[in-house]
Amino acid sequence: MSRLIVVSNRVPVPDKRGTAPAGGLAVALQSALEARGGLWLGWSGQSSAEEAIGPLKMLKDGNIDYALTDLTERDVEEYYQGFANRVLWPICHYRLDLAEYGRREMTGYFRVNRFFASRLLPLIEEDDLIWIHDYHLIPLASELRRHGVRNRIGFFLHIPWPSPDVFLAMPVHDEILTSLTAYDVLGFQTAHDRENFADCLARQGLGERQDEEHFSMGDRTFIARHYPIGIETDEFATLAQRAAETTLHKRMLQSLDGKRLIIGVDRLDYSKGITQRIDAFETFLTRHPDSQRQVTLLQITPKSRSEVPEYEAMQRAVAEQAGRVNGALGTVDWVPIRYVNRSLRRPALAGLYRMAKLALVTPLRDGMNLVAKEFVAAQSEEDPGVLLLSRFAGAAQELKDAILVNPYDVEGTADAMARALALPVEERRDRWRSMMKALRANDVFTWCDRFLRDLSTGEPKAGALARPRMAAVGGRTPISGA
Ligand code: GDG
């Protein structure tokens, strides 16, 4: 079996006790790396004012080497905060209005990708498989190819790929699109994303489509396929069951005092539709006064990318909005919205999902949305909660038994909340069973195996992943450095 190299913007380095502070994605990739022997390279999260960057920081954990590089402050500003998060992220989430295209940032993005290539080159061995993750690193394969790297290189895009009318509005669309053709395997979250990508190629007259998933470009061929990412379904279900025994869980139940818990969990990001959701919740409470004092919305929203101005503004906007609803509808002994602006530990989160009768997962656009999947996995079989899910999340393609909503339709979403809370237990069980079946059939280990099988085509044997021990399932998944 070939060795595996994973490259992502941020790397979930194991902590001193040797357990990774990792969610499902990191656990699956680590177990693939452990099985094959491997290397995970990415940004250390540190930046310096100096232009000269020191050597890679190398760490070893079992069969896995971690290679971390610092970046300069200018790199972070131009590549990460600039082009990745203020051009590619909004464009891929259909927010042309928020994209702030600048040549300096674009140049910085390509420069940092060249820099990542220069750090990786001396570490690559002949038969290594290379798996690059997400929109920060799109041009990395073409930079490696320029240096003669002929290894199989795959790319997985965690976020949506937009329709050509949106994508082609980005000034450097041609460079970005062309650099993707340097990969052997291109992975998308949904068939819809893959079709959007194929439409972009066709519109630009790049390459030729051989069949649904195979393309050629000059003398190269590549696969573009959808690999919907999953979660560590069974492990997460166990985590949620165990959490029910903890003190935090008991304290939370006590504080609810019989009220039904509704939960929202999202990184603070405009793509997640948090303000529209709070509007919908307010509309629901106003239209159904009998629900007031009977429900509480717990919105858990860890800060992210606070150095980007849109995110800082959003932080203020959501806090003000929650405060306004609480002021308008709350009473001395009832707060409609509990707004938590920091990250909780993963077991605590699992327990809260299980306690909730309803989850509001209403992004305006989302590659997949793992919160939707985690909520389902955390439910009890006898009395499962209901998932209200945006039809614009990749997860809606698999979780068809969620209550699907259009998050732009505030009144429609409010009505769906009322419907969801009134569902009889038999229907809740039926819906849950069907969604759980989908989550078991395509968990994160299956996702990882499917991608690696395609990437390693031609290899004598691509092994199935060993399942990790529960201890490894502990915290957040900082793959993209969100
Ligand atoms: C990108 C794509 C795609 C959240 N709050 C806490 C916490 N979380 C964890 C959740 C979940 C993860 O963060 C968020 O994943 P999502 O999928 O919902 O969203 P993004 O961060 O935008 O991820 C997305 C994903 O990549 C994977 O491909 O699905 O579409 O945008 O796991 O549980 N974890 C802890 N405390 C929190 O407070 N421990």
Side-chain angles (χ1 to χ4, degrees), residues 23-25 89 93 134-135 156-160 189 229-231 236 265-267 269 271-272 300-302 305 342-347 349 353 361 365-372 374 394 447 474-477 480 482:
L25 170 59
W89 178 273
H93 290 87
D134 232 359
Y135 59 102
F156 184 76
L157 183 69
H158 290 259
I159 65 177
Q189 297 274 25
I229 194 167
I231 58 163
F236 199 81
V265 178
D266 317 76
R267 246 179 346 90
D269 195 295
S271 64
K272 302 291 182 186
I300 300 169
T301 303
R305 305 177 194 166
R342 61 190 164 76
S343 186
L344 304 187
R345 289 183 56 250
R346 198 162 169 80
L349 195 62
Y353 284 140
V361 182
R365 200 55 76 163
D366 218 329
M368 178 53 59
N369 197 297
L370 298 180
V371 168
E374 290 163 359
W447 166 82
R476 287 215 58 187
T477 312
S480 298

Side-chain angles (χ1 to χ4, degrees), residues 142-400:
S142 63
E143 294 299 340
L144 293 171
R145 300 277 185 232
R146 234 190 285 284
H147 288 86
V149 172
R150 302 180 55 145
N151 299 52
R152 302 241 335 143
I153 313 180
F155 177 78
F156 184 76
L157 183 69
H158 290 259
I159 65 177
W161 186 277
S163 68
D165 286 340
V166 174
F167 182 76
L168 300 178
M170 180 173 68
V172 284
H173 59 261
D174 214 36
E175 289 85 334
I176 294 292
L177 209 50
T178 308
S179 62
L180 278 166
T181 63
Y183 288 93
D184 296 293
V185 180
L186 288 174
F188 296 93
Q189 297 274 25
T190 65
H192 183 67
D193 295 323
R194 187 213 49 221
E195 280 311 301
N196 281 340
F197 170 72
D199 289 349
C200 287
L201 287 180
R203 195 80 86 79
Q204 291 303 98
L206 279 172
E208 281 197 24
R209 193 167 193 174
Q210 312 293 344
D211 60 29
E212 196 175 59
E213 297 179 329
H214 293 86
F215 297 77
S216 64
M217 173 90 171
D219 57 357
R220 302 197 66 259
T221 56
F222 59 91
I223 303 177
R225 181 166 285 170
H226 69 292
Y227 304 86
I229 194 167
I231 58 163
E232 68 287 28
T233 311
D234 290 327
E235 292 79 355
F236 199 81
T238 310
L239 201 64
Q241 262 164 32
R242 286 188 191 160
E245 305 304 315
T246 62
T247 327
L248 177 112
H249 197 89
K250 288 175 188 148
R251 260 180 30 223
M252 180 68 192
L253 261 183
Q254 202 171 24
S255 83
L256 279 174
D257 193 22
K259 295 180 185 61
R260 299 212 277 172
L261 179 64
I262 303 178
I263 196 166
V265 178
D266 317 76
R267 246 179 346 90
L268 188 66
D269 195 295
Y270 50 78
S271 64
K272 302 291 182 186
I274 302 170
T275 52
Q276 289 81 353
R277 179 187 313 164
I278 295 178
D279 279 346
F281 183 62
E282 184 182 15
T283 305
F284 158 72
L285 289 176
T286 316
R287 286 190 175 178
H288 299 88
D290 50 326
S291 292
Q292 294 184 19
R293 304 172 59 83
Q294 304 302 314
V295 295
T296 291
L297 169 61
L298 172 64
Q299 177 63 49
I300 300 169
T301 303
K303 289 182 194 154
S304 77
R305 305 177 194 166
S306 327
E307 58 302 329
V308 178
E310 288 81 32
Y311 289 77
E312 207 194 349
M314 211 196 134
Q315 204 159 300
R316 278 195 304 275
V318 176
E320 276 170 27
Q321 194 190 9
R324 191 187 51 71
V325 174
N326 285 341
L329 298 174
T331 58
V332 283
D333 57 352
W334 174 60
V335 183
I337 305 175
R338 298 188 192 181
Y339 179 51
V340 179
N341 211 197
R342 61 190 164 76
S343 186
L344 304 187
R345 289 183 56 250
R346 198 162 169 80
L349 195 62
L352 291 169
Y353 284 140
R354 191 174 173 90
M355 195 183 297
K357 300 294 170 212
L358 174 63
L360 307 180
V361 182
T362 55
L364 304 177
R365 200 55 76 163
D366 218 329
M368 178 53 59
N369 197 297
L370 298 180
V371 168
K373 295 189 168 183
E374 290 163 359
F375 173 77
V376 172
Q379 297 310 300
S380 77
E381 198 169 348
E382 315 76 57
D383 187 20
V386 180
L387 172 64
L388 198 97
L389 178 62
S390 160
R391 58 180 69 253
F392 304 122
Q397 301 303 313
E398 290 167 279
L399 302 179
K400 303 218 187 275

Side-chain angles (χ1 to χ4, degrees), residues 71-83:
L71 292 175
T72 68
E73 284 171 4
R74 181 165 75 108
D75 288 341
V76 176
E77 207 181 293
E78 295 174 1
Y79 142 85
Y80 177 69
Q81 293 164 13
F83 195 77

Side-chain angles (χ1 to χ4, degrees), residues 7 41 56 69 109-124 130 132 137 139-147 149 153:
V7 190
L41 181 134
L56 285 173
T69 183
Y109 178 77
F110 283 92
R111 183 187 68 244
V112 172
N113 270 274
R114 269 198 301 283
F115 174 68
F116 271 113
S118 72
R119 302 243 97 169
L120 185 58
L121 274 165
L123 306 173
I124 301 175
I130 305 174
I132 294 165
L137 299 171
L140 189 49
S142 63
E143 294 299 340
L144 293 171
R145 300 277 185 232
R146 234 190 285 284
H147 288 86
V149 172
I153 313 180

